């Protein structure tokens, strides 16, 4: 009833090909973006920024990056944490060694580009190995990069503990310090990156990725070059992941050590992609929201309900319920939360009428 | 009697002495034939005769150990599939090889990918050249969608389409590349009589309207004899017949291969 596209006729291919062809979707997304930029800063507390909104947005960006590789191009990767680390340490070294570039946009772009270069390098085996075997090869990249940032002291500027810290952050001369400033900067970057990702996956480059994913032999016979296509997916994916890694270091942590980007981070982001929905930009956000918010919610819920229990029991329960929920969602909808959302939209077209 | 008595002069592709083996198995032995520009050429033969292997050699997916293929006057022994695609050879597959996660429209758009050149930067912004290019190719693809009468499934994921329509979408994807030589591997396998008639009509229309040269593998002899100009017959990797449909029907070796020989 509310969600009906009846009467919305397209008279040009351009109008038919836009990101949100349905008016209600356009209004909804616009409202969400306006609310995120204007309403949230008016009401949010520092806790909400640092523990919920900032992690959610940054990890959403990393999930978009991984989704391009796994969901759109069909190349399984367990090296996400490593590529985030490349982004973070490349950004750190540019910020440290070239103070004249103390502009976070430049610093993050550099981190992303370095991660893209490393992604291309570790994507090379994908021409020959597929599926689980490729997952193992990318796992090797994760361990290698972990080792490199822990052992090659130049990357961490020879600090004895291996921990690095950043401060005095600027964007075009504007200081970025307060949580709200960091939030707005991250939000702006994530919005732009999302539009870029969406544009790429709906154009001919995205179609080449999906063709390789769905049937690589047919794709090659149509004229796609498998290596070039796969490496472009690795590059774009790693770029997004690298920018997310740089933001995670600079704007979420402020000071970090290689452990911040270990194998657990790779799994966390892979879970976001799988639970959110492979091959869906929206799914990346839904998956990130689920993985970031659900543990916090589970942790707080007993307190809100007035149930008293020990913190140890609470944290064990949190793990168990969270794990059970992941299994439940995968059984109910293997295609992820994004598919649930699109089914809901299908139903809303008719609701409340039965036919 | 052949329904179409046409004559052709110019050779588009010729195959000379092709031999292909996998380990000890000889798939093709010393095959030679040619395909004239503008004709409909059929390759027939019992199961396992090497028909699909022959198509795979022509579009560069298999590399024959001996022999050469001359296409548009250029002789080559080895070629990558994407090079064949760039030179105007498109094909469909025996087992449907569509991109199942993508819509009909996107599948056919992939056929035009070789012509889409805008780089990552413009694609990312999706303004100017990228948007113009997309619309220009969308227009061409919509013409193919009209031609094949699949407007109603334009935005349906192809995995959800019935078999006959999937075959049609696959033909559309091959046509989108505007090929000079179209290789069809059993385009009518598993279809009912009406779907076969539709598909025959599309094949003939493609040949007439676009002037596309067609090389097809088909098991339905009625179809083959009606629509093809010349027929090659393979059996156990050897060529046992080559000629216009009327000759093939009278060829004793072909009759033996299909019906068996009494001992």
């Amino acid at each position: 009833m509310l969600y009906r596209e009846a009467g919305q006729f397209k008279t040009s291919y351009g109008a038919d090909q836009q990101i949100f062809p349905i008016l209600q979707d356009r209004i909804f997304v616009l409202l969400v973006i306006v609310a995120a930029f204007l309403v949230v800063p008016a009401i949010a507390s520092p806790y909400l920024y640092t523990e919920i909104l900032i992690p959610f947005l940054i990890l959403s960006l990393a999930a978009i990056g991984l989704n391009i590789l796994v969901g759109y191009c069909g190349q399984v990767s367990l090296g996400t944490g490593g590529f985030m680390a490349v982004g973070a340490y490349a950004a750190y070294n540019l910020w440290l060694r070239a103070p004249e570039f103390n502009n976070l946009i430049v610093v993050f772009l550099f981190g992303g580009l370095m991660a893209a270069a490393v992604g291309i390098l570790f994507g090379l085996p994908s021409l020959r190995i597929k599926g689980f075997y490729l997952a193992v090869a990318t796992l090797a990249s994760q361990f290698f990069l972990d080792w490199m940032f822990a052992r090659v002291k130049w990357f961490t500027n020879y600090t004895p503990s291996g921990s690095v810290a950043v401060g005095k952050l600027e964007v075009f001369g504007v200081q970025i310090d307060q949580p709200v400033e960091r939030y707005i900067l991250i939000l702006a970057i994530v919005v732009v990156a999302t539009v870029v990702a969406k544009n790429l996956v709906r154009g001919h480059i995205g179609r080449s990725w999906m063709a390789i994913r769905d049937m690589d032999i047919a794709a090659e016979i149509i004229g796609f070059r498998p290596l070039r296509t796969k490496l472009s997916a690795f590059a774009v994916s790693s770029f997004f992941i690298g920018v997310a890694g740089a933001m995670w270091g600079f704007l979420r942590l402020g000071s970090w050590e290689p452990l911040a980007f270990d194998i657990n981070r790779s799994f966390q982001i892979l879970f976001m992609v799988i639970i959110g929905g492979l091959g869906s930009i929206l799914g990346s956000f839904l998956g990130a929201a689920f993985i970031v918010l659900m543990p916090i919610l589970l942790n707080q819920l007993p307190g809100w309900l007035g149930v008293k229990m020990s913190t140890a029991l609470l944290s064990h329960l949190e793990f168990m319920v969270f794990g059970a929920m992941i299994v439940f969602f995968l059984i109910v909808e293997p295609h992820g939360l994004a598919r649930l959302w699109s089914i809901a939209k299908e139903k809303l077209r008719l609701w409340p009428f039965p036919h | 009697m052949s329904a179409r008595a046409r004559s052709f002069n110019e050779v588009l592709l010729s195959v000379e002495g092709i031999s292909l083996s996998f380990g000890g198995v000889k798939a093709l032995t010393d095959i030679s034939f040619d395909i004239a520009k503008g004709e409909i050429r059929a390759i027939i033969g019992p199961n396992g005769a090497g028909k699909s292997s022959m198509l795979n050699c022509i579009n560069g997916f298999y590399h024959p150990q001996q022999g050469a293929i001359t296409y548009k006057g250029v002789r080559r022994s080895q070629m990558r599939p994407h090079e064949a695609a760039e030179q105007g050879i498109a094909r469909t597959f025996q087992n449907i090889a569509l991109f199942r996660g993508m819509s009909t429209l996107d599948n056919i758009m992939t056929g035009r990918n070789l012509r889409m050149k805008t780089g990552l930067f413009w694609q990312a912004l999706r303004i100017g050249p990228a948007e113009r290019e997309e619309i220009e190719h969308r227009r061409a693809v919509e013409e193919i969608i009209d031609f094949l009468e699949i407007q109603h499934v334009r935005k349906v994921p192809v995995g959800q389409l019935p078999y006959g329509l999937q075959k049609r979408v696959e033909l559309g994807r091959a046509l989108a590349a505007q090929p000079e030589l179209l290789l069809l591997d059993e385009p009518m396998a598993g279809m009912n009589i009406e779907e076969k008639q539709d598909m025959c009509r599309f094949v003939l229309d493609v040949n007439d309207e676009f002037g596309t040269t067609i090389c097809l593998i088909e098991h339905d002899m009625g179809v083959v004899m009606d629509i093809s100009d010349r027929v090659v017959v393979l059996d156990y990797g050897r060529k046992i017949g080559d000629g216009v449909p009327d000759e093939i029907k009278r060829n004793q070796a072909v009759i033996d291969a299909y019906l068996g020989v009494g001992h």
Side-chain angles (χ1 to χ4, degrees), chain A:
Chain A
M1 178 79 162
L2 289 173
Y3 187 79
R4 257 193 331 187
E5 70 258 43
Q8 299 182 27
F9 299 113
K10 303 286 181 273
T11 52
S12 72
Y13 293 133
D16 191 44
Q17 290 176 169
Q18 55 193 324
I19 297 180
F20 299 108
I22 297 172
L23 180 67
Q24 287 91 328
D25 284 342
R26 285 201 293 279
I27 294 173
F28 178 70
V29 170
L30 204 67
L31 283 179
V32 168
I33 292 176
V34 168
F37 273 106
L38 299 179
V39 180
V40 169
I43 57 171
S45 63
Y47 171 81
L48 190 66
Y49 287 125
T50 50
E51 291 307 315
I52 295 178
L53 291 173
I54 288 177
F56 161 69
L57 285 172
I58 296 177
L59 294 180
S60 293
L61 182 59
I64 289 173
L66 187 64
N67 217 334
I68 285 174
L69 188 62
V70 183
Y72 284 97
C73 197
Q75 312 296 308
V76 185
S77 168
L78 286 175
T80 320
F83 297 136
M84 283 178 82
V86 172
Y89 283 103
Y92 169 73
N93 279 293
L94 183 74
W95 175 83
L96 179 79
R97 291 166 209 282
E100 60 272 27
F101 290 122
N102 187 5
N103 179 341
L104 283 184
I105 302 290
V106 178
V107 168
F108 290 164
L109 281 177
F110 180 74
L113 289 175
M114 284 296 121
V118 175
I120 289 175
L121 190 66
F122 283 105
L124 283 171
S126 69
L127 184 66
R128 291 283 169 213
I129 47 184
K130 292 173 185 164
F132 292 124
Y133 302 95
L134 182 63
V136 174
T138 55
L139 192 62
S141 76
Q142 169 75 43
F143 288 132
F144 172 75
L145 292 169
D146 266 358
W147 170 86
M148 188 173 82
F149 291 120
R151 293 280 169 259
V152 181
K153 294 294 183 190
W154 183 83
F155 289 113
T156 49
N157 198 29
Y158 302 98
T159 49
S161 62
S163 164
V164 299
V166 294
K168 280 196 61 153
L169 304 175
E170 285 180 12
V171 173
F172 300 112
V174 180
Q175 286 276 338
I176 300 293
D177 187 28
Q178 294 301 310
V180 62
E181 293 158 357
R182 284 186 272 149
Y183 164 77
I184 293 288
L185 175 63
I186 293 169
L187 182 66
I189 292 175
V190 170
V191 167
V192 171
T194 306
V195 174
V196 166
K198 189 70 193 172
N199 281 342
L200 286 177
V201 298
R202 71 200 177 106
H204 75 86
I205 293 173
R207 281 194 293 271
S208 71
W209 294 337
M210 290 187 275
I212 288 285
R213 170 194 71 190
D214 285 347
M215 186 141 316
D216 50 355
I217 290 173
E220 190 177 357
I221 283 170
I222 286 176
F224 296 109
R225 299 178 188 206
L227 184 63
R228 187 192 279 183
T229 307
K230 286 176 185 173
L231 290 187
S232 72
F234 266 98
V236 172
S237 159
S238 304
F239 177 79
F240 283 122
I241 292 171
V243 171
M247 291 203 296
W248 189 260
F250 276 63
L251 299 176
R252 163 84 173 97
L253 301 175
S255 70
W256 72 93
E257 48 195 30
L259 212 59
F261 302 105
D262 66 355
I263 181 79
N264 288 329
R265 184 69 64 206
S266 300
F267 282 124
Q268 186 190 29
I269 291 163
L270 187 64
F271 291 158
M272 287 176 186
V273 170
I274 292 172
I275 290 172
L278 287 165
S280 162
I281 298 291
L282 173 71
S284 310
F285 284 97
L286 296 178
F290 183 86
I291 298 272
V292 171
L293 298 184
M294 203 49 76
I296 296 173
L297 199 68
L298 288 174
N299 197 290
Q300 301 290 328
L301 198 61
W304 293 342
L305 295 177
V307 181
K308 289 213 186 333
M309 56 175 78
S310 71
T311 35
L313 179 64
L314 193 65
S315 78
H316 286 301
L317 266 184
E318 180 193 318
F319 277 120
M320 284 153 61
V321 175
F322 188 51
M325 287 183 76
I326 290 177
V327 174
F328 173 77
F329 269 112
L330 289 182
I331 291 173
V332 172
E333 187 49 72
H335 297 288
L337 300 172
R339 181 64 67 88
L340 280 180
W341 171 245
S342 67
I343 292 172
K345 283 205 297 188
E346 265 317 286
K347 299 237 191 269
L348 272 178
R349 291 168 67 184
L350 295 177
W351 184 87
F353 305 113
H355 295 294

Side-chain angles (χ1 to χ4, degrees), chain A residues 13-14 16-17 196 199-200 202-205 207 210-211 214-215 217-225, chain B residues 59 61 80 82 85-86 97 99-102 106 109 113 118 120 123-126 134 138 142 155 173:
Chain A
Y13 293 133
D16 191 44
Q17 290 176 169
V196 166
N199 281 342
L200 286 177
R202 71 200 177 106
H204 75 86
I205 293 173
R207 281 194 293 271
M210 290 187 275
D214 285 347
M215 186 141 316
I217 290 173
E220 190 177 357
I221 283 170
I222 286 176
F224 296 109
R225 299 178 188 206
Chain B
N59 76 349
F61 191 62
R80 302 294 306 161
H82 67 82
E86 279 159 18
F99 307 124
R100 294 179 63 83
M102 299 160 74
D106 280 341
M109 287 291 277
N113 236 70
T118 51
L120 207 59
Q123 283 289 313
L125 299 179
R126 185 77 178 228
E134 187 84 9
R138 172 79 186 266
E142 288 291 343
K155 299 213 168 153
R173 188 180 65 184

Side-chain angles (χ1 to χ4, degrees), chain B residues 208-221:
Chain B
D208 284 342
E209 285 184 25
F210 308 136
T212 310
T213 309
I214 292 171
C215 176
L216 72 115
I217 294 175
E218 185 48 54
H219 279 298
D220 185 322
M221 285 308 129

